[in-house]
PDB file of all heavy atoms in Angstrom:
ATOM      1  N   THR B 327      11.049 -17.611  28.954  1.00 47.00           N
ATOM      2  CA  THR B 327      11.227 -17.826  27.526  1.00 47.00           C
ATOM      3  C   THR B 327      12.162 -18.997  27.311  1.00 47.00           C
ATOM      4  O   THR B 327      13.315 -18.969  27.752  1.00 47.00           O
ATOM      5  CB  THR B 327      11.801 -16.562  26.862  1.00 47.00           C
ATOM      6  OG1 THR B 327      10.929 -15.473  27.125  1.00 47.00           O
ATOM      7  CG2 THR B 327      11.946 -16.760  25.365  1.00 47.00           C
ATOM      8  N   GLY B 374      -7.755  -6.168  18.815  1.00 97.00           N
ATOM      9  CA  GLY B 374      -8.168  -5.695  17.504  1.00 97.00           C
ATOM     10  C   GLY B 374      -8.917  -6.814  16.797  1.00 97.00           C
ATOM     11  O   GLY B 374      -9.583  -7.653  17.417  1.00 97.00           O
ATOM     12  N   PRO B 398     -35.722 -17.129   0.537  1.00 98.00           N
ATOM     13  CA  PRO B 398     -36.883 -17.374  -0.319  1.00 98.00           C
ATOM     14  C   PRO B 398     -37.718 -16.122  -0.560  1.00 98.00           C
ATOM     15  O   PRO B 398     -37.669 -15.152   0.191  1.00 98.00           O
ATOM     16  CB  PRO B 398     -37.693 -18.379   0.501  1.00 98.00           C
ATOM     17  CG  PRO B 398     -37.443 -17.942   1.921  1.00 98.00           C
ATOM     18  CD  PRO B 398     -36.031 -17.373   1.952  1.00 98.00           C
ATOM     19  N   GLY B 412     -51.938 -10.194  -4.256  1.00 97.00           N
ATOM     20  CA  GLY B 412     -51.339 -10.238  -2.938  1.00 97.00           C
ATOM     21  C   GLY B 412     -49.916  -9.718  -2.990  1.00 97.00           C
ATOM     22  O   GLY B 412     -49.550  -8.951  -3.888  1.00 97.00           O
ATOM     23  N   ASP B 446     -11.557   5.118   5.303  1.00 92.00           N
ATOM     24  CA  ASP B 446     -10.538   5.191   6.337  1.00 92.00           C
ATOM     25  C   ASP B 446      -9.139   4.800   5.873  1.00 92.00           C
ATOM     26  O   ASP B 446      -8.149   5.307   6.396  1.00 92.00           O
ATOM     27  CB  ASP B 446     -10.908   4.285   7.513  1.00 92.00           C
ATOM     28  CG  ASP B 446     -12.247   4.631   8.118  1.00 92.00           C
ATOM     29  OD1 ASP B 446     -12.603   5.815   8.113  1.00 92.00           O
ATOM     30  OD2 ASP B 446     -12.943   3.706   8.577  1.00 92.00           O
ATOM     31  N   ARG B 475     -47.580 -10.126 -13.024  1.00 98.00           N
ATOM     32  CA  ARG B 475     -48.127  -8.916 -12.415  1.00 98.00           C
ATOM     33  C   ARG B 475     -48.376  -9.181 -10.929  1.00 98.00           C
ATOM     34  O   ARG B 475     -48.860 -10.258 -10.549  1.00 98.00           O
ATOM     35  CB  ARG B 475     -49.427  -8.499 -13.104  1.00 98.00           C
ATOM     36  CG  ARG B 475     -50.106  -7.278 -12.497  1.00 98.00           C
ATOM     37  CD  ARG B 475     -51.403  -6.948 -13.237  1.00 98.00           C
ATOM     38  NE  ARG B 475     -52.184  -5.952 -12.532  1.00 98.00           N
ATOM     39  CZ  ARG B 475     -52.042  -4.632 -12.681  1.00 98.00           C
ATOM     40  NH1 ARG B 475     -51.136  -4.162 -13.534  1.00 98.00           N
ATOM     41  NH2 ARG B 475     -52.801  -3.791 -11.999  1.00 98.00           N
ATOM     42  N   VAL B 538     -16.225  17.350  -6.759  1.00 98.00           N
ATOM     43  CA  VAL B 538     -14.792  17.072  -6.668  1.00 98.00           C
ATOM     44  C   VAL B 538     -14.093  17.633  -7.901  1.00 98.00           C
ATOM     45  O   VAL B 538     -14.521  17.416  -9.035  1.00 98.00           O
ATOM     46  CB  VAL B 538     -14.529  15.567  -6.542  1.00 98.00           C
ATOM     47  CG1 VAL B 538     -13.023  15.283  -6.524  1.00 98.00           C
ATOM     48  CG2 VAL B 538     -15.189  15.012  -5.276  1.00 98.00           C
ATOM     49  N   GLY B 557     -30.010   9.265   4.121  1.00 98.00           N
ATOM     50  CA  GLY B 557     -28.947   8.628   3.360  1.00 98.00           C
ATOM     51  C   GLY B 557     -29.157   8.562   1.871  1.00 98.00           C
ATOM     52  O   GLY B 557     -28.281   8.084   1.139  1.00 98.00           O
ATOM     53  N   LEU B 562     -20.414  14.359  -2.819  1.00 98.00           N
ATOM     54  CA  LEU B 562     -18.973  14.262  -2.696  1.00 98.00           C
ATOM     55  C   LEU B 562     -18.361  15.625  -2.961  1.00 98.00           C
ATOM     56  O   LEU B 562     -18.803  16.353  -3.858  1.00 98.00           O
ATOM     57  CB  LEU B 562     -18.397  13.251  -3.696  1.00 98.00           C
ATOM     58  CG  LEU B 562     -18.555  11.766  -3.365  1.00 98.00           C
ATOM     59  CD1 LEU B 562     -19.956  11.286  -3.716  1.00 98.00           C
ATOM     60  CD2 LEU B 562     -17.523  10.929  -4.120  1.00 98.00           C
ATOM     61  N   ALA B 571      -4.699   7.237  -9.297  1.00 96.00           N
ATOM     62  CA  ALA B 571      -5.650   6.131  -9.381  1.00 96.00           C
ATOM     63  C   ALA B 571      -7.019   6.597  -8.897  1.00 96.00           C
ATOM     64  O   ALA B 571      -7.122   7.561  -8.129  1.00 96.00           O
ATOM     65  CB  ALA B 571      -5.156   4.966  -8.536  1.00 96.00           C
ATOM     66  N   ARG B 575     -14.898   5.814  -2.174  1.00 98.00           N
ATOM     67  CA  ARG B 575     -15.538   6.161  -0.907  1.00 98.00           C
ATOM     68  C   ARG B 575     -16.847   5.386  -0.819  1.00 98.00           C
ATOM     69  O   ARG B 575     -17.352   4.876  -1.832  1.00 98.00           O
ATOM     70  CB  ARG B 575     -15.810   7.663  -0.803  1.00 98.00           C
ATOM     71  CG  ARG B 575     -14.559   8.534  -0.748  1.00 98.00           C
ATOM     72  CD  ARG B 575     -13.882   8.427   0.609  1.00 98.00           C
ATOM     73  NE  ARG B 575     -12.748   9.335   0.726  1.00 98.00           N
ATOM     74  CZ  ARG B 575     -11.485   9.003   0.489  1.00 98.00           C
ATOM     75  NH1 ARG B 575     -11.201   7.775   0.088  1.00 98.00           N
ATOM     76  NH2 ARG B 575     -10.518   9.882   0.637  1.00 98.00           N
ATOM     77  N   ASN B 583     -33.865  -2.422   4.705  1.00 98.00           N
ATOM     78  CA  ASN B 583     -35.086  -3.104   4.294  1.00 98.00           C
ATOM     79  C   ASN B 583     -35.824  -2.330   3.211  1.00 98.00           C
ATOM     80  O   ASN B 583     -36.277  -2.920   2.217  1.00 98.00           O
ATOM     81  CB  ASN B 583     -35.988  -3.333   5.502  1.00 98.00           C
ATOM     82  CG  ASN B 583     -35.354  -4.257   6.522  1.00 98.00           C
ATOM     83  OD1 ASN B 583     -34.544  -5.121   6.173  1.00 98.00           O
ATOM     84  ND2 ASN B 583     -35.695  -4.075   7.780  1.00 98.00           N
ATOM     85  N   GLY B 620     -48.855 -22.454   3.337  1.00 95.00           N
ATOM     86  CA  GLY B 620     -49.787 -22.245   2.241  1.00 95.00           C
ATOM     87  C   GLY B 620     -49.375 -21.171   1.255  1.00 95.00           C
ATOM     88  O   GLY B 620     -50.062 -20.960   0.252  1.00 95.00           O
ATOM     89  N   VAL B 631     -21.115 -21.670   0.482  1.00 98.00           N
ATOM     90  CA  VAL B 631     -21.017 -22.267   1.817  1.00 98.00           C
ATOM     91  C   VAL B 631     -20.460 -21.245   2.808  1.00 98.00           C
ATOM     92  O   VAL B 631     -19.736 -20.312   2.433  1.00 98.00           O
ATOM     93  CB  VAL B 631     -20.130 -23.529   1.806  1.00 98.00           C
ATOM     94  CG1 VAL B 631     -20.755 -24.609   0.933  1.00 98.00           C
ATOM     95  CG2 VAL B 631     -18.709 -23.204   1.330  1.00 98.00           C
ATOM     96  N   TYR B 632     -20.789 -21.438   4.089  1.00 98.00           N
ATOM     97  CA  TYR B 632     -20.334 -20.481   5.106  1.00 98.00           C
ATOM     98  C   TYR B 632     -18.813 -20.377   5.141  1.00 98.00           C
ATOM     99  O   TYR B 632     -18.271 -19.299   5.424  1.00 98.00           O
ATOM    100  CB  TYR B 632     -20.859 -20.832   6.502  1.00 98.00           C
ATOM    101  CG  TYR B 632     -20.321 -19.848   7.521  1.00 98.00           C
ATOM    102  CD1 TYR B 632     -20.830 -18.562   7.587  1.00 98.00           C
ATOM    103  CD2 TYR B 632     -19.234 -20.176   8.341  1.00 98.00           C
ATOM    104  CE1 TYR B 632     -20.300 -17.624   8.464  1.00 98.00           C
ATOM    105  CE2 TYR B 632     -18.699 -19.247   9.221  1.00 98.00           C
ATOM    106  CZ  TYR B 632     -19.236 -17.973   9.282  1.00 98.00           C
ATOM    107  OH  TYR B 632     -18.693 -17.038  10.139  1.00 98.00           O
ATOM    108  N   SER B 643     -10.750  -8.818   7.015  1.00 98.00           N
ATOM    109  CA  SER B 643     -11.178  -8.308   8.320  1.00 98.00           C
ATOM    110  C   SER B 643     -12.531  -7.600   8.196  1.00 98.00           C
ATOM    111  O   SER B 643     -12.692  -6.427   8.528  1.00 98.00           O
ATOM    112  CB  SER B 643     -10.132  -7.372   8.927  1.00 98.00           C
ATOM    113  OG  SER B 643     -10.198  -7.394  10.328  1.00 98.00           O
ATOM    114  N   ALA B 648     -18.314 -10.294  10.764  1.00 98.00           N
ATOM    115  CA  ALA B 648     -17.954 -10.845  12.073  1.00 98.00           C
ATOM    116  C   ALA B 648     -19.059 -10.580  13.094  1.00 98.00           C
ATOM    117  O   ALA B 648     -19.420 -11.456  13.887  1.00 98.00           O
ATOM    118  CB  ALA B 648     -16.637 -10.249  12.543  1.00 98.00           C
ATOM    119  N   ALA B 672     -19.737 -18.863  24.021  1.00 98.00           N
ATOM    120  CA  ALA B 672     -19.082 -19.306  25.254  1.00 98.00           C
ATOM    121  C   ALA B 672     -19.060 -20.835  25.352  1.00 98.00           C
ATOM    122  O   ALA B 672     -18.036 -21.443  25.707  1.00 98.00           O
ATOM    123  CB  ALA B 672     -19.798 -18.707  26.467  1.00 98.00           C
ATOM    124  N   LEU B 687     -15.233 -10.399  25.288  1.00 98.00           N
ATOM    125  CA  LEU B 687     -15.767  -9.932  24.020  1.00 98.00           C
ATOM    126  C   LEU B 687     -17.129  -9.284  24.226  1.00 98.00           C
ATOM    127  O   LEU B 687     -17.976  -9.827  24.944  1.00 98.00           O
ATOM    128  CB  LEU B 687     -15.916 -11.085  23.020  1.00 98.00           C
ATOM    129  CG  LEU B 687     -14.647 -11.664  22.402  1.00 98.00           C
ATOM    130  CD1 LEU B 687     -15.008 -12.823  21.471  1.00 98.00           C
ATOM    131  CD2 LEU B 687     -13.881 -10.598  21.640  1.00 98.00           C
ATOM    132  N   ALA B 696     -14.280  -3.036  25.429  1.00 96.00           N
ATOM    133  CA  ALA B 696     -14.150  -4.090  26.441  1.00 96.00           C
ATOM    134  C   ALA B 696     -13.372  -5.297  25.944  1.00 96.00           C
ATOM    135  O   ALA B 696     -12.962  -6.143  26.748  1.00 96.00           O
ATOM    136  CB  ALA B 696     -15.541  -4.539  26.903  1.00 96.00           C
ATOM    137  N   ARG B 698     -10.830  -8.022  25.043  1.00 98.00           N
ATOM    138  CA  ARG B 698      -9.487  -8.402  25.498  1.00 98.00           C
ATOM    139  C   ARG B 698      -9.280  -9.886  25.235  1.00 98.00           C
ATOM    140  O   ARG B 698     -10.226 -10.667  25.210  1.00 98.00           O
ATOM    141  CB  ARG B 698      -9.305  -8.175  27.016  1.00 98.00           C
ATOM    142  CG  ARG B 698      -9.527  -6.770  27.510  1.00 98.00           C
ATOM    143  CD  ARG B 698      -8.368  -5.855  27.136  1.00 98.00           C
ATOM    144  NE  ARG B 698      -8.548  -4.567  27.777  1.00 98.00           N
ATOM    145  CZ  ARG B 698      -9.331  -3.606  27.318  1.00 98.00           C
ATOM    146  NH1 ARG B 698     -10.025  -3.798  26.209  1.00 98.00           N
ATOM    147  NH2 ARG B 698      -9.443  -2.444  27.959  1.00 98.00           N
ATOM    148  N   THR B 714      -9.068 -30.730  13.961  1.00 97.00           N
ATOM    149  CA  THR B 714     -10.326 -31.034  13.283  1.00 97.00           C
ATOM    150  C   THR B 714     -10.078 -31.410  11.825  1.00 97.00           C
ATOM    151  O   THR B 714      -9.028 -31.090  11.264  1.00 97.00           O
ATOM    152  CB  THR B 714     -11.275 -29.820  13.324  1.00 97.00           C
ATOM    153  OG1 THR B 714     -10.783 -28.813  12.426  1.00 97.00           O
ATOM    154  CG2 THR B 714     -11.408 -29.256  14.725  1.00 97.00           C
ATOM    155  N   ALA B 717      -8.983 -28.485   9.371  1.00 98.00           N
ATOM    156  CA  ALA B 717      -7.781 -27.718   9.720  1.00 98.00           C
ATOM    157  C   ALA B 717      -7.242 -26.942   8.530  1.00 98.00           C
ATOM    158  O   ALA B 717      -6.934 -25.743   8.627  1.00 98.00           O
ATOM    159  CB  ALA B 717      -6.714 -28.651  10.283  1.00 98.00           C
ATOM    160  N   SER B 742       9.773 -16.081   4.334  1.00 97.00           N
ATOM    161  CA  SER B 742       8.556 -16.581   4.990  1.00 97.00           C
ATOM    162  C   SER B 742       7.304 -16.373   4.158  1.00 97.00           C
ATOM    163  O   SER B 742       6.204 -16.724   4.600  1.00 97.00           O
ATOM    164  CB  SER B 742       8.384 -15.892   6.351  1.00 97.00           C
ATOM    165  OG  SER B 742       9.453 -16.199   7.210  1.00 97.00           O
ATOM    166  N   LYS B 778       7.520 -28.729   6.166  1.00 94.00           N
ATOM    167  CA  LYS B 778       6.418 -29.082   5.267  1.00 94.00           C
ATOM    168  C   LYS B 778       5.329 -29.862   6.012  1.00 94.00           C
ATOM    169  O   LYS B 778       5.595 -30.927   6.588  1.00 94.00           O
ATOM    170  CB  LYS B 778       6.924 -29.894   4.070  1.00 94.00           C
ATOM    171  CG  LYS B 778       5.861 -30.128   3.002  1.00 94.00           C
ATOM    172  CD  LYS B 778       6.450 -30.769   1.769  1.00 94.00           C
ATOM    173  CE  LYS B 778       5.380 -31.012   0.705  1.00 94.00           C
ATOM    174  NZ  LYS B 778       4.714 -29.763   0.288  1.00 94.00           N
ATOM    175  N   ASN B 789       0.685  -3.561  22.124  1.00 98.00           N
ATOM    176  CA  ASN B 789      -0.325  -2.622  22.611  1.00 98.00           C
ATOM    177  C   ASN B 789       0.348  -1.336  23.050  1.00 98.00           C
ATOM    178  O   ASN B 789       1.440  -1.371  23.640  1.00 98.00           O
ATOM    179  CB  ASN B 789      -1.095  -3.199  23.801  1.00 98.00           C
ATOM    180  CG  ASN B 789      -2.255  -4.108  23.418  1.00 98.00           C
ATOM    181  OD1 ASN B 789      -2.997  -4.547  24.289  1.00 98.00           O
ATOM    182  ND2 ASN B 789      -2.422  -4.415  22.137  1.00 98.00           N
ATOM    183  N   SER B 799       0.066   6.237   7.253  1.00 91.00           N
ATOM    184  CA  SER B 799       1.116   5.308   6.841  1.00 91.00           C
ATOM    185  C   SER B 799       1.924   4.818   8.041  1.00 91.00           C
ATOM    186  O   SER B 799       2.515   3.735   7.997  1.00 91.00           O
ATOM    187  CB  SER B 799       2.050   5.955   5.815  1.00 91.00           C
ATOM    188  OG  SER B 799       2.730   7.062   6.373  1.00 91.00           O
ATOM    189  N   ALA B 809       4.201  -7.976  11.268  1.00 97.00           N
ATOM    190  CA  ALA B 809       4.326  -9.035  10.268  1.00 97.00           C
ATOM    191  C   ALA B 809       5.772  -9.535  10.184  1.00 97.00           C
ATOM    192  O   ALA B 809       6.019 -10.742  10.026  1.00 97.00           O
ATOM    193  CB  ALA B 809       3.855  -8.528   8.912  1.00 97.00           C
TER     194      ALA B 809
END
Side-chain angles (χ1 to χ4, degrees):
T327 303
D446 302 327
R475 177 181 169 87
V538 177
L562 283 80
R575 294 286 185 265
N583 296 332
V631 296
Y632 178 75
S643 208
L687 287 178
R698 302 286 187 279
T714 73
S742 297
K778 188 173 180 59
N789 276 185
S799 63

